[in-house]
Amino acid sequence: MLRPAAVGALLLTGAAVGAAPAQAPSLRVLAQIETGQWQLRETGGGTTRSVCVSDPRVLLQLRHGGAAQCSRFVIDNQGQQGTVHYTCAGAGHGRTTIKLETPRLMNITTQGVVDGLPFDSAIEARRLGDCT
């Protein structure tokens, strides 16, 4: 288990949040998420950051945002919830579940390995408005 500071540092290095990951799968839940400025707050007193989300698919790989060569497999594809497992060659792998409360509020759980280190995060995402 990573210390909170290490987990926060990984969350803050999520790289290009506005760019969609290559070959991202089509999840029904993603179509319901509004684009714009989002606040991502790690539950349990973790880090908080504000990001502009132009394509909701970027939320599938928060820890591997800059990894372009990732394969993805859809595990669960419901209207209000979706889960994807992904593997990024040479960078690690992860499993992300997005549970939609409303188009402006969701919970994201993600776990896996990035650059040889494990991660496990629960994130509350709240839409703040349009991107600035």
Side-chain angles (χ1 to χ4, degrees), residues 47-71:
T47 60
T48 300
R49 69 176 171 152
S50 179
V51 296
C52 179
V53 176
S54 60
D55 185 338
R57 294 178 293 175
V58 300
L59 300 170
L60 297 174
Q61 287 181 215
L62 291 172
R63 301 300 173 117
H64 293 90
Q69 297 301 319
C70 301
S71 62

Side-chain angles (χ1 to χ4, degrees), residues 16-27 30-31 33-38 51-62 98 106 131:
V17 175
Q23 305 169 358
S26 177
L27 288 178
L30 295 178
I33 297 170
E34 293 185 24
T35 59
Q37 196 73 28
W38 284 80
V51 296
C52 179
V53 176
S54 60
D55 185 338
R57 294 178 293 175
V58 300
L59 300 170
L60 297 174
Q61 287 181 215
L62 291 172
I98 296 176
M106 70 186 113
C131 292

Side-chain angles (χ1 to χ4, degrees), residues 88-131:
C88 303
H93 59 87
R95 176 181 172 135
T96 301
T97 299
I98 296 176
K99 183 177 180 184
L100 195 66
E101 302 295 330
T102 73
R104 294 171 168 245
L105 176 65
M106 70 186 113
N107 292 297
I108 303 169
T109 55
T110 185
Q111 61 184 5
V113 175
V114 64
D115 295 328
L117 297 172
F119 65 87
D120 185 2
S121 299
I123 300 163
E124 180 184 81
R126 199 175 284 278
R127 188 176 185 277
L128 302 174
D130 294 333
C131 292

